[in-house]
Amino acid sequence: MLLSIVIPVMNEEGNVQPLIARIGEALAQVEHELIFVDDGSNDRTVAEIERFATPNTRLLVLSRNYGQTTAMAAGVDAADGELIVMLDGDLQNDPYDIPLMMDRMREGNWDVVAGIRTDRKDGFLLRKLPSKLANCLIRHVTGVQISDYGCTLKLFKSDIAKNLGLYGELHRYIPVLASMCGARMTQMQVRHHARHAGVSKYGISRTLKVASDLMLMVFLRKYGQRPMHLFGTTGIVLFCTGCILSAYMLVEKLRGESIAGRPLLFLGLMLTVAGVQLITTGFIADLIMRTYYESQSKKPYHLKKKTGG
């Protein structure tokens, strides 16, 4: 199988038939499989997929709503293609862009081709503006220069997609996860359409989730394999500062000064305790990291190529 198309869906009954038809037209000359992952729909989405399924269509029905990231992970795990593309089920992504992305991947031997939505058919205040601000912040903080993190349409080589480690709601940070796998990435403009049917599952309420996940991404990217460098270094600085302040207070006490109730005394004690706590947290985090890799026989690296032997 050359290409696997992973499509997470939830309550998209009105989009199923035209989506399957459009993918069939766009990829008529490409060996491919469709993998629909139903993420807890409570309408006729599953029935519509079964009704209009083609011989190369597969359906995974999750037992409840787990979220888009988990649905993507389930689809990627089931994919058999050499290449894997992720596609929204709302027809806002255009399947006709997929062959162009495949050509782009072959031209530069890229590992990932990410889409950049042009002429977005979304509202400016609630969708476009927050998206632009989030994209700018993520690029600045993570150093991964992808223009449109919110575009689901992305093409991957299979080994990259299957090693992304998709958990929680990290689908927004797939380029960062791919970068951590050492993927060579490029971008290209893709078309964007107004939603064909149904209602959007996104809203301004996701802002805090994006911010909290961004902190997690920064931690994983910089300290995921060496947490002691973050917690230990910060803890040592706080502990030493606390000891200096406490020593100063001790000298003041020996000089006959009253130190009871002085803010520096409490600050010194608090920084000393906080430093010890952070250092011990670093030890624990390092042990957890080692357990994560060794208990599952995981490697802290991804092998891109092997020759000889």
Side-chain angles (χ1 to χ4, degrees), residues 107-256:
E107 288 171 3
N109 193 28
W110 300 102
D111 298 313
V112 180
V113 180
I116 305 173
R117 292 168 291 184
T118 58
D119 191 23
R120 283 186 62 181
K121 301 300 189 295
D122 291 321
F124 176 78
L125 189 60
L126 296 180
R127 297 293 297 276
K128 290 184 181 179
L129 181 59
S131 179
K132 287 181 179 292
L133 295 175
N135 287 330
C136 182
L137 177 63
I138 295 170
R139 286 195 300 270
H140 178 73
V141 172
T142 65
V144 180
Q145 300 302 313
I146 293 295
S147 300
D148 190 355
Y149 277 84
C151 181
T152 300
L153 183 55
K154 295 180 179 69
L155 177 67
F156 304 83
K157 289 184 177 177
S158 177
D159 62 316
I160 296 296
K162 289 183 179 291
N163 283 288
L164 287 175
L166 291 172
Y167 301 97
E169 295 192 12
L170 297 183
H171 61 275
R172 303 179 185 92
Y173 299 99
I174 283 177
V176 181
L177 296 171
S179 174
M180 292 168 60
C181 292
R184 296 179 64 250
M185 291 183 287
T186 188
Q187 309 175 77
M188 62 175 286
Q189 293 186 340
V190 296
R191 285 161 284 197
H192 191 254
H193 304 290
R195 171 177 272 275
H196 177 77
V199 296
S200 174
K201 314 305 186 296
Y202 298 103
I204 196 69
S205 60
R206 62 179 176 161
T207 302
L208 293 179
K209 295 179 181 178
V210 173
S212 58
D213 285 338
L214 179 57
M215 291 189 290
L216 174 62
M217 280 291 93
V218 172
F219 173 77
L220 291 177
R221 183 170 170 79
K222 294 185 177 181
Y223 303 104
Q225 295 182 16
R226 43 193 175 93
M228 190 62 185
H229 286 193
L230 172 64
F231 296 109
T233 302
T234 307
I236 289 172
V237 171
L238 295 182
F239 179 79
C240 292
T241 304
C243 287
I244 291 171
L245 292 177
S246 298
Y248 173 72
M249 287 293 96
L250 178 61
V251 171
E252 289 287 284
K253 179 66 176 179
L254 294 176
R255 288 178 176 175

Side-chain angles (χ1 to χ4, degrees), residues 2 26 42 49 74 80 96 156 164 171 193 265 289 293 304:
L2 174 61
N42 53 23
I49 294 173
D80 295 325
Y96 281 91
F156 304 83
L164 287 175
H171 61 275
H193 304 290
L265 174 63
M289 181 271 296
Y293 284 105
K304 185 179 182 70

Side-chain angles (χ1 to χ4, degrees), residues 43-82:
D43 63 357
R44 289 183 49 79
T45 298
V46 171
E48 290 294 289
I49 294 173
E50 293 173 340
R51 177 184 176 189
F52 295 104
T54 58
N56 59 341
T57 299
R58 298 161 64 189
L59 171 62
L60 308 177
V61 181
L62 302 185
S63 60
R64 63 175 177 83
N65 176 243
Y66 287 91
Q68 186 174 355
T69 302
T70 301
M72 284 181 172
V76 169
D77 288 342
D80 295 325
E82 298 173 18

Side-chain angles (χ1 to χ4, degrees), residues 1-19:
M1 185 66 63
L2 174 61
L3 178 68
S4 296
I5 306 168
V6 175
I7 309 173
V9 291
M10 186 183 76
N11 296 340
E12 299 287 0
E13 60 180 358
N15 292 315
V16 170
Q17 188 275 331
L19 178 59

